[in-house]
C-alpha cells in the first residue's frame, strides 16, 4: 500500500528543491529534513529520487553562479538627499 504522506512530502520537496538558490542552502535543508523524511517513512526509492533532484539542482546552481555576470558596484552619491515635508 502506498504511503500518501510520503508521496505528498516527496512532491512538495521536489517542488521546493527547484526553488533553491544556493548549494549550501540546499545542503542545509537536506540535513534539517532528515527527521521529517524518517517521520513520513519515505521509501529508499523516494529518498534516492530526492537525492538525485538535489544533485541536479546543485549542478544547475553551479552553472548559474559561474555564468551570472557580476553586478556593478553602486557609487554613493555625494549630494544630500532632500527631505520631504511630513504632511
Amino acid at each position: 500500500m502506498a504511503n500518501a504522506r510520503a508521496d505528498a512530502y516527496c512532491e512538495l520537496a521536489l517542488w521546493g528543491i527547484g526553488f533553491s538558490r544556493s548549494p549550501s542552502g540546499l545542503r542545509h535543508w537536506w540535513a534539517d529534513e532528515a527527521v521529517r523524511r524518517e517521520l513520513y517513512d519515505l521509501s529508499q526509492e523516494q529518498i534516492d529520487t530526492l537525492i538525485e533532484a538535489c544533485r541536479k539542482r546543485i549542478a544547475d546552481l553551479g552553472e548559474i553562479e559561474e555564468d551570472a555576470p557580476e553586478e556593478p558596484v553602486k557609487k554613493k552619491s555625494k549630494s544630500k538627499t532632500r527631505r520631504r515635508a511630513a504632511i
Side-chain angles (χ1 to χ4, degrees):
M1 181 172 160
N3 182 343
R5 289 178 47 162
D7 291 342
Y9 176 88
C10 284
E11 186 176 336
L12 184 60
L14 287 170
W15 180 76
I17 289 168
F19 286 103
S20 299
R21 297 192 154 263
S22 73
S24 62
L26 187 53
R27 288 182 180 106
H28 183 73
W29 170 83
W30 181 259
D32 287 349
E33 287 295 305
V35 173
R36 285 189 189 88
R37 287 191 302 273
E38 188 173 320
L39 177 69
Y40 293 129
D41 196 28
L42 271 63
S43 69
Q44 188 59 50
E45 183 180 352
Q46 289 170 320
I47 292 170
D48 292 343
T49 299
L50 294 177
I51 289 170
E52 188 58 36
C54 286
R55 287 180 179 161
K56 183 180 181 321
R57 183 62 182 153
I58 287 171
D60 291 347
L61 288 169
E63 290 175 17
I64 292 168
E65 290 176 353
E66 290 173 8
D67 294 343
E70 291 185 30
E71 292 184 25
V73 178
K74 294 181 181 178
K75 294 181 181 179
K76 290 187 176 183
S77 175
K78 292 184 181 182
S79 64
K80 292 183 180 181
T81 12
R82 291 182 140 180
R83 299 185 94 188
R84 293 185 179 197
I87 303 176

